[in-house]
Amino acid sequence: MTTPSHIGTEEKLVRMANQIAGFFATQPKASQAEETAAHIRAFWDPRMRAQLSKLLATDANGLSPLARAAAEHLEQSEQV
Amino acid sequence: MKDFIIPNWDETDMGTPASKATEQVTLTIDGFPVTVPAGTSVMRASAEAGIQVPKLCATDSLEAFGSCRLCVVEIEGRRGTPASCTTPVAEGMVVHTHSPKVKKIRKGVMELYISDHPLDCLTCSANGDCELQDMAGAVGLRDVRYEGVENHFEVRQNGEANARYIPKDDSNPYFSYDPAKCIVCSRCVRACEETQGTFALTIEGSGFDSRVSFGAKSDNALASDCVSCGACVAACPTATLQEKSVIEIGTPERSVITTCAYCGVGCSFKAEMRGDEVVRMTPWKHGKANRGHSCVKGRFAYGYASHNDRILNPMIRDTIDQPWREVSWDEAIAFTATKLRGIQEQHGVRSIGGITSSRCTNEETYLVQKLIRAVFGNNNTDTCARVCHSPTGYGLGKAFGTSAGTQDFDSVEHTDVVIVIGANPTDGHPVFASRLKKRLRAGAKLIVIDPRRIDLVRSAHIEAAHHLPLRPGTNVAVLSSISHVIVTEGLYDEAFIRERCDWDEFADYAAFISDARHSPEATALLTGVPADAIREAARLFATGGNGAIYYGLGVTEHSQGSTTVMAIANLAMMTGNLGRPGVGVNPLRGQNNVQGACDMGSFPHELPGYRHVSDPAVRDVFDKLWGSKIDPEPGLRIPNMLDAAVDGTFKGLYVQGEDILQSDPDTKHVSAGLAAMDCVIVQDLFLNETANYAHVFLPGSTFLEKDGTFTNAERRINRVRKVMQPRNGYADWEITQLLANAMGAGWTYTHPSQVMDEIAATTPSFANVSYELLEERGSVQWPCNEAAPDGTPLMHIDGFARGRGRFIVTEYIATEEKTGPRFPLLLTTGRILSQYNVGAQTRRTENVVWHDQDVLEVHPQDAEVRGIKDGQWVRLASRTGETSLRATITDRVSPGVVYTTFHHPDTQANVITTDFSDWATNCPEYKVTAVQVAASNGPTEWQEDYAAHAAQSRRILPAAE
Ligand code: SF4
Ligand code: SF4
Ligand code: SF4
Ligand code: FES
């Protein structure tokens, strides 16, 4: 039985990233992507962040536009 | 012996409560000048001067009543002999407490009492602990002239059954009521009213016929409204209301002050001992959280400590389908260390982790996270606070700069309007509830925001001004509407906001919240709460005086848990309700040491004192002391650990004192995660549900068997004191040390005080905390450091920890868990008074008489359309799974909402709950699950399989020779 709550880790990460982005999207600041990325940076362990970064490569990953922007931002900042 | 020191606090019963007046009055008592606050009774003033006036109906935990007339005194210039307990002092008063006249009166009074009392003192359970006996001695009573008169204590009189005799009531499992010994002083009745606030007891009849009664004449104690808090038992001067344990064991010979290990109120108790047996636990009058009160759990439900189910020897097995093998501590620890190191060699440093316990002490929690950070070498530490109050930490941290409640419990005495949201204090935090109810009876107003009509909404002498029965999952919408009303009607506290917050930020927030979409009229459809009710509640809170907000897991355990906490912070700031007594934001913590577990660095991204692991300066403090190199990367949280386990990158877990299989959501996912690991180590008192998936079982110790500290919901650090040796051989902190050392740590702690010293040395908010200080003060609230040497009862008095308080925009975002045709009802969960959390302890006590199974509350309308009858088995199904339990039909829940508790593993309410979680912290969304309910015949197949599997995994091989 596949149900919304019995999903794989990747889908779960997407859901979590979208939820975080969902909150920061309501914040008035212009720095929504940065804030979303900073939240993920502060709370996710490296393997989760690596998985998120890998997801960016796939097109139909389900990330919301802000979550996507945040993941890209995160990827860049982790590379330096 | 160091362990058994009791702080030297005076336990004398002063007769009447202390007066809070500041004005002083001087009088003369038996020739001695005495100065006391105005309003003090003559009795108490005498006690201050060291003169004990004989008394029976007075005790300093209750208002004076003046019924026994034993305490009479003479006052110069006044006629007659007034009762000293009800007579207030006056300037220049001259009192004689021991004149021939009053001595004679007292003897007469005692003679009358004794004539209606059996003279079986030698075999009475209260022998040596009876005030009637003491007073007979004190007044010099030598003989009783009334023999053969009518009485209440003889079964037969003049050859006939004595109609006045009432047999003993033994229905309550913990105390008995023996009317034959009652002197009708009404202390019990007043304790039930004033201290507990339940009003279960009354005096029936009048004059010689008056008797204490548990409500209606036919009622016994168990069937009455009594919640078994024990306040009446403590107040009773005779053996009439007596703990059964005292009847069984005898009177105690010593006592040790310690702290309840159940809930976040953190009540102080006297463990009264005979040898190494606990005779009884009595609430300690100097305990600053409880002020001498208790609930049934802390007072009576400690029997689990000596329950047969307790595992006392370590056990191991290679795979979880094998039976357990009892081994020596050495073998168990070596086995564990080898396994964990082996996993790390094969799968990397970050492939193992641990879970600290909110039930264990601060010192134990600190050591577990130290083990993980310094010895495992990663930050994969988490705690069950994840599943309850992690959003509090995040939300309050963002708004105020510290992650803790702002007040002490005493603060409630100064409150005028209380909001209780998503909490059920009479069941979850009973002693706080009693203190709150006392304030409500004195006139404070109450607003309850909860899907369910909790007891506080209407109970004896309490009625909430407003109950907003919102749809589960709409907290943010309701709070935003309240703020909308306050802002748009101009009821906010501009002076406070300008002084303490950023005005421009508030202006942005005000613009956001003023939008019509937040108006109560707009949100009513969504929340189910009528707009008028919200408007009135908002006005009351903003204009009713000191406003305090108390909240619980009904706030945090939602996908918008953190946002709701921020909305609460906004509400408190905009109404200026922070930084003084009677106001504030008060998270009611679930378990005894949730606060402490969070403070001690249990979270994977935070070192002790809420400092992020990415901060090199903070890491450096610990690295220098520990000789470690702390990983700068955040670790995995519990749900992430389970995901990673299923993915194969997380293989070993050390769980101290938690039962994640029963307490965490989506049981099937948790069991899949656990089953995928190579080494699960469970350290607990009992073979809990998680242990079904464990390879190592390390038997834990109870709070009676170790030293340490717990930190309660008011940030109060209370001492836990060892009253007996650990039955399993080691305190939990010693077991963690054994494991650390087997993995090469070289720790040398010999007493938990040394761990506290290390905490103080590394964590600024604990800088001045030490066991010496706690001996001296009894308890202290953090921050306790140079800046606040006495600790901090109230936070944010002159400014917020972060500087200016921050208003954060809180947009309502609906949870993804939605009702639909297949799952049309919303399930929400909670707890009840007599049981605690997953019930591992309380189920192993007599408390089961109050709650022997979890039941599902269903509204009559929903029951009717489904053909469900009261008491019938029903099948409860969600998208995640299904279970069966019995239904109870009640309009406490709204139509469309069902409710249950999660105290029994057979029910496994968490088979139903989903893995949706708070956006910021992954705190699971326990409080909202779309479900369907249908009549059924009994347990589901899954429940039967589960029971069979559990029995299978609990097999223990007989010990090898
Ligand atoms: S145990 Fe508590 S609730 Fe019960 S009668 Fe006594 S005071 Fe009242
Ligand atoms: S039961 Fe105890 S406290 Fe209550 S009236 Fe009788 S003697 Fe007093
Ligand atoms: S369970 Fe809570 S309220 Fe009850 S005695 Fe223990 S700390 Fe106090
Ligand atoms: S103690 Fe004062 S009247 Fe009873």
Side-chain angles (χ1 to χ4, degrees), chain B residues 172 175 188 191-192 196 198-201 214 225-233 241 293 300:
Chain B
N172 182 295
F175 63 83
C188 54
C192 194
Q196 165 58 25
T198 292
F199 294 78
L201 295 170
F214 283 89
D225 289 342
C226 168
V227 294
S228 198
C229 70
C232 57
V233 182
L241 287 162
H293 191 33
F300 295 118

PDB file of all heavy atoms in Angstrom, chain B residues 172 175 188 191-192 196 198-201 214 225-233 241 293 300, ligand 1:
ATOM      1  N   ASN B 172     -10.151   2.725  47.338  1.00  0.00           N
ATOM      2  CA  ASN B 172      -9.005   3.342  46.674  1.00  0.00           C
ATOM      3  C   ASN B 172      -7.791   2.424  46.865  1.00  0.00           C
ATOM      4  O   ASN B 172      -7.561   1.929  47.956  1.00  0.00           O
ATOM      5  CB  ASN B 172      -8.730   4.726  47.276  1.00  0.00           C
ATOM      6  CG  ASN B 172      -7.576   5.432  46.573  1.00  0.00           C
ATOM      7  OD1 ASN B 172      -6.434   4.986  46.619  1.00  0.00           O
ATOM      8  ND2 ASN B 172      -7.877   6.524  45.895  1.00  0.00           N
ATOM      9  N   PHE B 175      -5.109   4.427  49.514  1.00  0.00           N
ATOM     10  CA  PHE B 175      -5.363   4.849  50.885  1.00  0.00           C
ATOM     11  C   PHE B 175      -6.713   4.340  51.344  1.00  0.00           C
ATOM     12  O   PHE B 175      -7.579   4.021  50.539  1.00  0.00           O
ATOM     13  CB  PHE B 175      -5.274   6.383  51.030  1.00  0.00           C
ATOM     14  CG  PHE B 175      -6.285   7.175  50.250  1.00  0.00           C
ATOM     15  CD1 PHE B 175      -7.578   7.385  50.740  1.00  0.00           C
ATOM     16  CD2 PHE B 175      -5.953   7.743  49.022  1.00  0.00           C
ATOM     17  CE1 PHE B 175      -8.494   8.129  50.026  1.00  0.00           C
ATOM     18  CE2 PHE B 175      -6.868   8.486  48.298  1.00  0.00           C
ATOM     19  CZ  PHE B 175      -8.146   8.683  48.794  1.00  0.00           C
ATOM     20  N   CYS B 188      -9.645  17.343  55.753  1.00  0.00           N
ATOM     21  CA  CYS B 188      -9.648  16.640  54.465  1.00  0.00           C
ATOM     22  C   CYS B 188     -10.549  17.351  53.457  1.00  0.00           C
ATOM     23  O   CYS B 188     -10.195  17.531  52.295  1.00  0.00           O
ATOM     24  CB  CYS B 188     -10.114  15.207  54.658  1.00  0.00           C
ATOM     25  SG  CYS B 188     -11.703  15.080  55.494  1.00  0.00           S
ATOM     26  N   ALA B 191      -8.832  20.424  52.359  1.00  0.00           N
ATOM     27  CA  ALA B 191      -7.689  20.128  51.485  1.00  0.00           C
ATOM     28  C   ALA B 191      -8.186  19.826  50.076  1.00  0.00           C
ATOM     29  O   ALA B 191      -7.613  20.273  49.077  1.00  0.00           O
ATOM     30  CB  ALA B 191      -6.889  18.950  52.028  1.00  0.00           C
ATOM     31  N   CYS B 192      -9.271  19.063  49.987  1.00  0.00           N
ATOM     32  CA  CYS B 192      -9.785  18.702  48.667  1.00  0.00           C
ATOM     33  C   CYS B 192     -10.287  19.945  47.935  1.00  0.00           C
ATOM     34  O   CYS B 192     -10.160  20.050  46.724  1.00  0.00           O
ATOM     35  CB  CYS B 192     -10.887  17.653  48.796  1.00  0.00           C
ATOM     36  SG  CYS B 192     -11.284  16.877  47.231  1.00  0.00           S
ATOM     37  N   GLN B 196      -6.484  20.924  46.345  1.00  0.00           N
ATOM     38  CA  GLN B 196      -6.634  20.159  45.115  1.00  0.00           C
ATOM     39  C   GLN B 196      -7.675  20.775  44.184  1.00  0.00           C
ATOM     40  O   GLN B 196      -7.524  20.748  42.968  1.00  0.00           O
ATOM     41  CB  GLN B 196      -6.990  18.700  45.456  1.00  0.00           C
ATOM     42  CG  GLN B 196      -7.532  17.867  44.303  1.00  0.00           C
ATOM     43  CD  GLN B 196      -6.581  17.792  43.125  1.00  0.00           C
ATOM     44  OE1 GLN B 196      -5.378  17.952  43.280  1.00  0.00           O
ATOM     45  NE2 GLN B 196      -7.134  17.597  41.943  1.00  0.00           N
ATOM     46  N   THR B 198     -10.858  19.772  43.850  1.00  0.00           N
ATOM     47  CA  THR B 198     -11.755  18.776  43.250  1.00  0.00           C
ATOM     48  C   THR B 198     -13.131  18.737  43.910  1.00  0.00           C
ATOM     49  O   THR B 198     -14.120  18.377  43.293  1.00  0.00           O
ATOM     50  CB  THR B 198     -11.085  17.377  43.278  1.00  0.00           C
ATOM     51  OG1 THR B 198      -9.991  17.401  42.387  1.00  0.00           O
ATOM     52  CG2 THR B 198     -12.041  16.275  42.852  1.00  0.00           C
ATOM     53  N   PHE B 199     -13.219  19.118  45.176  1.00  0.00           N
ATOM     54  CA  PHE B 199     -14.499  19.147  45.901  1.00  0.00           C
ATOM     55  C   PHE B 199     -15.166  17.772  45.924  1.00  0.00           C
ATOM     56  O   PHE B 199     -16.368  17.635  45.752  1.00  0.00           O
ATOM     57  CB  PHE B 199     -15.457  20.183  45.271  1.00  0.00           C
ATOM     58  CG  PHE B 199     -14.972  21.605  45.411  1.00  0.00           C
ATOM     59  CD1 PHE B 199     -13.974  22.097  44.582  1.00  0.00           C
ATOM     60  CD2 PHE B 199     -15.506  22.445  46.376  1.00  0.00           C
ATOM     61  CE1 PHE B 199     -13.505  23.405  44.716  1.00  0.00           C
ATOM     62  CE2 PHE B 199     -15.049  23.752  46.513  1.00  0.00           C
ATOM     63  CZ  PHE B 199     -14.050  24.237  45.681  1.00  0.00           C
ATOM     64  N   ALA B 200     -14.346  16.743  46.132  1.00  0.00           N
ATOM     65  CA  ALA B 200     -14.906  15.386  46.174  1.00  0.00           C
ATOM     66  C   ALA B 200     -15.496  15.064  47.536  1.00  0.00           C
ATOM     67  O   ALA B 200     -16.362  14.205  47.651  1.00  0.00           O
ATOM     68  CB  ALA B 200     -13.820  14.362  45.841  1.00  0.00           C
ATOM     69  N   LEU B 201     -15.021  15.739  48.583  1.00  0.00           N
ATOM     70  CA  LEU B 201     -15.450  15.399  49.936  1.00  0.00           C
ATOM     71  C   LEU B 201     -16.423  16.440  50.471  1.00  0.00           C
ATOM     72  O   LEU B 201     -16.319  17.624  50.149  1.00  0.00           O
ATOM     73  CB  LEU B 201     -14.234  15.356  50.871  1.00  0.00           C
ATOM     74  CG  LEU B 201     -13.203  14.264  50.598  1.00  0.00           C
ATOM     75  CD1 LEU B 201     -11.956  14.499  51.432  1.00  0.00           C
ATOM     76  CD2 LEU B 201     -13.791  12.904  50.903  1.00  0.00           C
ATOM     77  N   PHE B 214     -17.635  10.856  50.690  1.00  0.00           N
ATOM     78  CA  PHE B 214     -17.188  11.003  49.297  1.00  0.00           C
ATOM     79  C   PHE B 214     -18.412  11.215  48.416  1.00  0.00           C
ATOM     80  O   PHE B 214     -18.819  10.335  47.675  1.00  0.00           O
ATOM     81  CB  PHE B 214     -16.426   9.759  48.838  1.00  0.00           C
ATOM     82  CG  PHE B 214     -15.026   9.673  49.354  1.00  0.00           C
ATOM     83  CD1 PHE B 214     -14.750   9.051  50.566  1.00  0.00           C
ATOM     84  CD2 PHE B 214     -13.979  10.224  48.639  1.00  0.00           C
ATOM     85  CE1 PHE B 214     -13.454   8.970  51.045  1.00  0.00           C
ATOM     86  CE2 PHE B 214     -12.670  10.142  49.110  1.00  0.00           C
ATOM     87  CZ  PHE B 214     -12.409   9.514  50.319  1.00  0.00           C
ATOM     88  N   ASP B 225     -15.707  11.476  42.838  1.00  0.00           N
ATOM     89  CA  ASP B 225     -14.927  12.361  41.975  1.00  0.00           C
ATOM     90  C   ASP B 225     -13.456  12.401  42.360  1.00  0.00           C
ATOM     91  O   ASP B 225     -12.653  13.050  41.697  1.00  0.00           O
ATOM     92  CB  ASP B 225     -15.466  13.798  42.084  1.00  0.00           C
ATOM     93  CG  ASP B 225     -16.820  13.936  41.426  1.00  0.00           C
ATOM     94  OD1 ASP B 225     -17.166  13.069  40.617  1.00  0.00           O
ATOM     95  OD2 ASP B 225     -17.530  14.919  41.739  1.00  0.00           O
ATOM     96  N   CYS B 226     -13.123  11.752  43.437  1.00  0.00           N
ATOM     97  CA  CYS B 226     -11.750  11.792  43.964  1.00  0.00           C
ATOM     98  C   CYS B 226     -10.734  11.429  42.880  1.00  0.00           C
ATOM     99  O   CYS B 226     -10.912  10.455  42.163  1.00  0.00           O
ATOM    100  CB  CYS B 226     -11.635  10.799  45.118  1.00  0.00           C
ATOM    101  SG  CYS B 226      -9.954  10.479  45.630  1.00  0.00           S
ATOM    102  N   VAL B 227      -9.656  12.218  42.784  1.00  0.00           N
ATOM    103  CA  VAL B 227      -8.604  11.925  41.813  1.00  0.00           C
ATOM    104  C   VAL B 227      -7.352  11.375  42.499  1.00  0.00           C
ATOM    105  O   VAL B 227      -6.284  11.309  41.904  1.00  0.00           O
ATOM    106  CB  VAL B 227      -8.261  13.157  40.953  1.00  0.00           C
ATOM    107  CG1 VAL B 227      -9.436  13.539  40.082  1.00  0.00           C
ATOM    108  CG2 VAL B 227      -7.831  14.335  41.824  1.00  0.00           C
ATOM    109  N   SER B 228      -7.508  11.029  43.746  1.00  0.00           N
ATOM    110  CA  SER B 228      -6.439  10.342  44.484  1.00  0.00           C
ATOM    111  C   SER B 228      -5.143  11.140  44.555  1.00  0.00           C
ATOM    112  O   SER B 228      -4.058  10.585  44.435  1.00  0.00           O
ATOM    113  CB  SER B 228      -6.178   8.961  43.859  1.00  0.00           C
ATOM    114  OG  SER B 228      -5.482   8.141  44.758  1.00  0.00           O
ATOM    115  N   CYS B 229      -5.288  12.448  44.780  1.00  0.00           N
ATOM    116  CA  CYS B 229      -4.083  13.274  44.865  1.00  0.00           C
ATOM    117  C   CYS B 229      -3.381  13.109  46.202  1.00  0.00           C
ATOM    118  O   CYS B 229      -2.214  13.430  46.345  1.00  0.00           O
ATOM    119  CB  CYS B 229      -4.436  14.742  44.673  1.00  0.00           C
ATOM    120  SG  CYS B 229      -5.357  15.427  46.070  1.00  0.00           S
ATOM    121  N   GLY B 230      -4.135  12.650  47.192  1.00  0.00           N
ATOM    122  CA  GLY B 230      -3.534  12.420  48.506  1.00  0.00           C
ATOM    123  C   GLY B 230      -3.497  13.634  49.414  1.00  0.00           C
ATOM    124  O   GLY B 230      -2.987  13.547  50.531  1.00  0.00           O
ATOM    125  N   ALA B 231      -4.043  14.769  48.982  1.00  0.00           N
ATOM    126  CA  ALA B 231      -3.988  15.976  49.821  1.00  0.00           C
ATOM    127  C   ALA B 231      -4.755  15.767  51.124  1.00  0.00           C
ATOM    128  O   ALA B 231      -4.325  16.198  52.194  1.00  0.00           O
ATOM    129  CB  ALA B 231      -4.548  17.174  49.063  1.00  0.00           C
ATOM    130  N   CYS B 232      -5.904  15.095  51.039  1.00  0.00           N
ATOM    131  CA  CYS B 232      -6.700  14.869  52.250  1.00  0.00           C
ATOM    132  C   CYS B 232      -5.981  13.930  53.192  1.00  0.00           C
ATOM    133  O   CYS B 232      -6.037  14.089  54.409  1.00  0.00           O
ATOM    134  CB  CYS B 232      -8.068  14.305  51.875  1.00  0.00           C
ATOM    135  SG  CYS B 232      -7.984  12.783  50.917  1.00  0.00           S
ATOM    136  N   VAL B 233      -5.280  12.953  52.604  1.00  0.00           N
ATOM    137  CA  VAL B 233      -4.561  11.980  53.433  1.00  0.00           C
ATOM    138  C   VAL B 233      -3.449  12.699  54.202  1.00  0.00           C
ATOM    139  O   VAL B 233      -3.242  12.472  55.394  1.00  0.00           O
ATOM    140  CB  VAL B 233      -3.979  10.852  52.553  1.00  0.00           C
ATOM    141  CG1 VAL B 233      -3.275   9.820  53.407  1.00  0.00           C
ATOM    142  CG2 VAL B 233      -5.074  10.210  51.722  1.00  0.00           C
ATOM    143  N   LEU B 241      -7.779   8.773  57.307  1.00  0.00           N
ATOM    144  CA  LEU B 241      -7.334   8.683  55.917  1.00  0.00           C
ATOM    145  C   LEU B 241      -5.853   8.345  55.990  1.00  0.00           C
ATOM    146  O   LEU B 241      -5.048   9.141  56.474  1.00  0.00           O
ATOM    147  CB  LEU B 241      -7.557  10.015  55.201  1.00  0.00           C
ATOM    148  CG  LEU B 241      -9.022  10.334  54.876  1.00  0.00           C
ATOM    149  CD1 LEU B 241      -9.193  11.818  54.573  1.00  0.00           C
ATOM    150  CD2 LEU B 241      -9.512   9.498  53.703  1.00  0.00           C
ATOM    151  N   HIS B 293       1.914  20.181  47.419  1.00  0.00           N
ATOM    152  CA  HIS B 293       0.836  19.401  46.816  1.00  0.00           C
ATOM    153  C   HIS B 293       1.418  18.340  45.879  1.00  0.00           C
ATOM    154  O   HIS B 293       2.599  18.355  45.546  1.00  0.00           O
ATOM    155  CB  HIS B 293      -0.112  20.341  46.064  1.00  0.00           C
ATOM    156  CG  HIS B 293      -1.392  19.662  45.627  1.00  0.00           C
ATOM    157  ND1 HIS B 293      -1.989  18.656  46.344  1.00  0.00           N
ATOM    158  CD2 HIS B 293      -2.178  19.853  44.531  1.00  0.00           C
ATOM    159  CE1 HIS B 293      -3.078  18.251  45.716  1.00  0.00           C
ATOM    160  NE2 HIS B 293      -3.218  18.948  44.618  1.00  0.00           N
ATOM    161  N   PHE B 300       1.717   8.262  44.719  1.00  0.00           N
ATOM    162  CA  PHE B 300       1.419   6.849  44.972  1.00  0.00           C
ATOM    163  C   PHE B 300       2.007   5.868  43.956  1.00  0.00           C
ATOM    164  O   PHE B 300       2.193   4.698  44.273  1.00  0.00           O
ATOM    165  CB  PHE B 300      -0.099   6.643  45.005  1.00  0.00           C
ATOM    166  CG  PHE B 300      -0.784   7.355  46.148  1.00  0.00           C
ATOM    167  CD1 PHE B 300      -1.731   8.342  45.894  1.00  0.00           C
ATOM    168  CD2 PHE B 300      -0.478   7.045  47.463  1.00  0.00           C
ATOM    169  CE1 PHE B 300      -2.376   9.000  46.940  1.00  0.00           C
ATOM    170  CE2 PHE B 300      -1.110   7.696  48.512  1.00  0.00           C
ATOM    171  CZ  PHE B 300      -2.056   8.674  48.257  1.00  0.00           C
TER     172      PHE B 300
HETATM  173  S1  SF4 C   1      -7.357  12.241  47.398  1.00  0.00           S
HETATM  174 FE1  SF4 C   1      -7.430  14.337  46.611  1.00  0.00          FE
HETATM  175  S2  SF4 C   1      -9.180  14.380  45.265  1.00  0.00           S
HETATM  176 FE2  SF4 C   1      -9.405  12.554  46.536  1.00  0.00          FE
HETATM  177  S3  SF4 C   1     -10.675  13.217  48.223  1.00  0.00           S
HETATM  178 FE3  SF4 C   1      -8.541  13.437  48.862  1.00  0.00          FE
HETATM  179  S4  SF4 C   1      -8.025  15.576  48.369  1.00  0.00           S
HETATM  180 FE4  SF4 C   1      -9.908  15.075  47.268  1.00  0.00          FE
END
